[in-house]
Amino acid sequence: METNIERMDLLEKKNQKAFEGGGVDRVKKHKSGTRLTARERLHTLLDPGSFVELDRFVTHRCQNFNMGEKKIDGDGVVTGFGRINGKLVYVYSQDFTVFGGSMSRTQANKILKVQEMAMKNGAPIIGLNDSGGARIQEGVEALGGYADIFLNNVMASGVVPQISAIMGPSAGGAVYSPSITDFIFMVKDTSYMFVTGPDVIKTVTHEEVTKEELGGASTHSQKSGVAHFAAEDDKHCLLMIREMLNFLPSNNMDDPPKMQTSDDPYRLVDELTNFIPDNSRKPYDMKELIKKVVDESYFLEVHQNYAPNIIVGFARFNGRSVGVVANQPQVLAGCLNIDASKKAARFIRFCDAFNIPLVNFVDVPGFLPGTDQEWQGIITHGAKLLYAYAEATVPKITVITRKDYGGAYCVMSSKHLRGDVNLAFPSAEIAVMGAEGAVNIIFRDAINKASDATEERAKLTKDYEDKFNNPYVAAELGYIDEVIEPSLTRKRICESLEMLKNKRDSNPPKKHGNIPL
Ligand code: HXC
């Protein structure tokens, strides 16, 4: 009869075997450079000692191509739960050393289990992806597994935060699970994402492109916007995810975390008094302004290199998490274009889904003109941003630092879209359009008839600027709650967040709206 010691011994041996993954050689090959194994990644991501593994001994059921003789415990994915700065999270980490981390029916079942636990228990789910795609030997069963995961991703969307890290290959339909999740982190040089790879592209279109150019971290974090973050290596990627989690609530019924801060909420920011250039055509760095007013100058920028004419990211005011959305006058003069509209709209909807207040800094001359933008549908895409602000019921605070013209005035969290607190600097210019454009239209005849058209235009432009390029017309109408000295920015935002902390607002009951996709 087996003794307890023998039973413990057996368990120990089985655990050891499972920990070996695809074996020493494959692990050695995988770990070239700074790549970590699936388990090392989880240990880096989670608080020390907090990881609890589930389904360690699960194996696949496939009999095709002698697969019945090739079974490896865990079947290419390590799943379970753990803590990040004390907060419960569910995790899965694909193990490339086991069948290339490929998605089998069994692997899908393991992932579905943690997804469902995350939803039931109201905790974020983080997926570390490193996989050759559908398990080729299994065929449609593997595809079914993927589709089941996609469905769970959609069900979990807006219920618990979902975060994806791409730490190796992610190709074909496999890209669609990460793309439904809220944030995608990629690792430079070692990860790539594409629907069809370089070989297929060459066959079909004769275009030659490398994997890195087609779908590497730089491509997706700058050109396509598919990835929100590009990390230097595995460790950097996992630490960034930990950092982001600190800003998020566990689920859609939870309040965002409130941290201790030694930064005085009523701190006056005197450097802002002369921060906005006197010449309104001169650019300045809106990120500098953000850093001057948030707690401890700490701003976690999302999508840093994509559509940099708008800035989005997380920060804190008096310890409270907020989502910051701001025009960047340094890039395209802060104009709204298609990419900026999509970037900000998705971020706003994330914040609204998870009860994170929005703090907006506005300096926007309007939507970017041109055939390129019109033909690609700026009308539809710009409407996404408008829609996202309009439907958001979280506290919305807006500070207009300088230009706020035309349609962009309406869109950027204006009073009319249920902005709660709308403030303006004395340098704000809130008008239907820029002065020069306006006089060219409404005074065309007068300018044409004048003996000196240039002088007449300059005079009329000056008159228009004096009348409209200020915050006071909007303030008279109550569209601006207060014109503030810039040094008061932090104080007013902190006071407003405190005032709005019990805000309750809702939208009419409906199945769902029809955002212009
Ligand atoms: C089964 C796979 C696999 C897969 C890799 N492996 N991908 N096994 N199904 N999809 C296995 C390999 O056989 C090998 O096993 C081990 O994983 C490591 O693979 P290598 O090719 O040696 O690694 P590497 O040279 O680094 O190349 C990685 C790779 C390549 C570029 C990802 O493996 C590859 O092209 N794989 C196939 C990609 C693919 O076409 N997937 C299916 C797409 S269809 P051994 O035993 O030798 O170590 C799809 C549809 C999803 O995914 C749709 C969802 C809706």
Side-chain angles (χ1 to χ4, degrees):
M1 201 164 76
E2 253 185 339
T3 64
N4 273 335
I5 292 182
E6 284 164 342
R7 288 188 191 113
M8 297 291 282
D9 229 31
L10 176 66
L11 175 61
E12 176 61 20
K13 279 197 190 110
K14 281 179 81 66
N15 280 337
Q16 274 313 320
K17 191 156 170 290
F19 293 155
E20 282 165 16
V24 181
D25 291 344
R26 287 195 186 90
V27 170
K28 200 169 153 205
K29 185 178 167 207
H30 172 83
K31 283 192 65 162
S32 60
T34 51
R35 300 187 77 197
L36 303 171
T37 64
R39 281 197 167 74
E40 285 168 347
R41 286 170 179 163
L42 291 176
H43 291 301
T44 309
L45 175 70
L46 301 170
D47 293 348
S50 71
F51 178 54
V52 178
E53 188 175 347
L54 303 169
D55 292 339
R56 183 179 293 151
F57 301 134
V58 166
T59 54
H60 70 74
R61 313 277 162 87
C62 178
Q63 296 298 331
N64 306 329
F65 308 105
N66 292 331
M67 282 296 279
E69 290 157 29
K70 294 185 223 157
K71 294 198 176 196
I72 299 179
D73 291 329
D75 204 37
V77 68
V78 184
T79 60
F81 58 92
R83 306 225 159 233
I84 291 186
N85 294 317
K87 254 175 39 183
L88 176 67
V89 294
Y90 290 84
V91 286
Y92 69 86
S93 177
Q94 287 175 318
D95 184 350
F96 192 80
T97 69
V98 178
F99 309 119
S102 56
M103 179 65 70
S104 63
R105 179 67 251 178
T106 301
Q107 179 174 134
N109 289 347
K110 286 182 67 173
I111 294 173
L112 294 170
K113 189 191 267 188
V114 280
Q115 283 183 315
E116 279 150 26
M117 289 174 96
M119 275 189 273
K120 218 179 274 177
N121 298 300
I125 176 148
I126 302 164
L128 310 181
N129 298 267
D130 191 351
S131 163
R135 177 89 44 94
I136 293 166
Q137 296 89 335
E138 289 198 10
V140 71
E141 261 198 286
L143 297 186
Y146 266 126
D148 292 341
I149 292 171
F150 301 160
L151 178 67
N152 268 357
N153 284 134
V154 174
M155 294 300 115
S157 182
V159 177
V160 292
Q162 301 182 84
I163 291 170
S164 301
I166 313 298
M167 311 190 80
S170 178
V175 296
Y176 285 111
S177 170
S179 71
I180 300 165
T181 64
D182 299 304
F183 296 103
I184 296 182
F185 293 71
M186 289 186 78
V187 182
K188 285 184 192 164
D189 304 323
T190 54
S191 71
Y192 49 88
M193 294 179 84
F194 37 71
V195 174
T196 46
D199 294 344
V200 177
I201 291 180
K202 195 172 168 199
T203 314
V204 178
T205 69
H206 308 295
E207 201 182 355
E208 292 203 28
V209 62
T210 64
K211 277 196 283 206
E212 184 62 27
E213 283 166 348
L214 180 65
S218 301
T219 298
H220 283 314
S221 60
Q222 287 171 26
K223 279 194 188 151
S224 71
V226 165
H228 300 83
F229 297 92
E232 297 303 323
D233 55 28
D234 280 15
K235 188 168 176 200
H236 182 220
C237 176
L238 300 163
L239 296 182
M240 281 205 292
I241 296 175
R242 283 181 64 88
E243 200 180 330
M244 166 170 276
L245 257 282
N246 284 337
F247 286 97
L248 311 185
S250 292
N251 58 64
N252 62 339
M253 309 293 277
D254 198 13
D255 287 329
K258 190 164 189 299
M259 300 286 197
Q260 287 291 329
T261 176
S262 54
D263 200 347
D264 178 2
Y266 297 150
R267 171 168 60 85
L268 297 182
V269 188
D270 291 325
E271 310 100 276
L272 288 186
T273 307
N274 287 312
F275 186 80
I276 308 295
D278 285 333
N279 177 352
S280 73
R281 288 169 188 272
K282 224 174 136 191
Y284 61 92
D285 186 0
M286 188 65 100
K287 271 186 233 176
E288 250 186 73
L289 186 148
I290 295 167
K291 286 185 186 156
K292 284 180 196 300
V293 297
V294 300
D295 286 0
E296 287 141 28
S297 304
Y298 181 35
F299 178 51
L300 177 66
E301 190 174 358
V302 174
H303 255 155
Q304 189 172 12
N305 298 316
Y306 175 72
N309 43 322
I310 203 156
I311 302 164
V312 302
F314 297 104
R316 294 188 188 87
F317 283 96
N318 198 18
R320 287 198 175 91
S321 290
V322 301
V324 174
V325 181
N327 309 111
Q328 171 60 291
Q330 260 188 351
V331 182
L332 293 175
C335 267
L336 292 174
N337 60 359
I338 292 172
D339 291 350
S341 303
K342 290 194 294 189
K343 165 178 165 177
R346 185 148 166 83
F347 182 74
I348 291 162
R349 296 191 97 217
F350 174 82
C351 291
D352 188 48
F354 290 104
N355 312 316
I356 301 172
L358 290 163
V359 175
N360 312 286
F361 296 96
V362 176
D363 187 345
V364 60
F367 281 93
L368 184 66
T371 49
D372 175 61
Q373 291 287 304
E374 292 292 348
W375 293 347
Q376 289 197 57
I378 182 73
I379 297 173
T380 305
H381 299 294
K384 291 182 168 116
L385 182 55
L386 192 166
Y387 194 109
Y389 269 126
E391 74 173 343
T393 55
V394 286
K396 292 185 279 194
I397 299 165
T398 300
V399 182
I400 302 166
T401 59
R402 195 167 61 178
K403 295 175 192 144
D404 199 3
Y405 286 130
Y409 158 77
C410 303
V411 169
M412 289 301 297
S413 198
S414 64
K415 212 47 164 179
H416 322 280
L417 302 185
R418 297 191 286 180
D420 294 294
V421 175
N422 292 63
L423 307 170
F425 283 4
S427 49
E429 303 169 9
I430 306 169
V432 70
M433 65 193 293
E436 222 166 301
V439 301
N440 279 340
I441 293 169
I442 57 177
F443 298 118
R444 189 184 298 144
D445 282 352
I447 292 169
N448 286 341
K449 283 180 196 153
S451 52
D452 184 336
T454 313
E455 192 183 312
E456 184 65 9
R457 183 182 292 113
K459 182 187 156 299
L460 291 167
T461 303
K462 169 90 177 48
D463 288 351
Y464 189 94
E465 276 171 1
D466 290 346
K467 193 164 167 43
F468 293 113
N469 281 11
N470 60 61
Y472 300 107
V473 181
E476 276 171 29
L477 295 166
Y479 297 171
I480 293 298
D481 297 299
E482 190 186 1
V483 181
I484 59 165
E485 286 171 34
S487 61
L488 286 174
T489 307
R490 173 175 166 81
K491 182 169 186 286
R492 282 290 185 273
I493 292 172
C494 290
E495 288 165 339
S496 302
L497 286 167
E498 178 65 25
M499 180 271 280
L500 293 164
K501 75 177 180 202
N502 296 323
K503 179 186 173 187
R504 289 281 172 269
D505 199 355
S506 58
N507 297 323
K510 52 183 146 182
K511 187 171 176 190
H512 57 70
N514 189 12
I515 189 165
L517 293 173

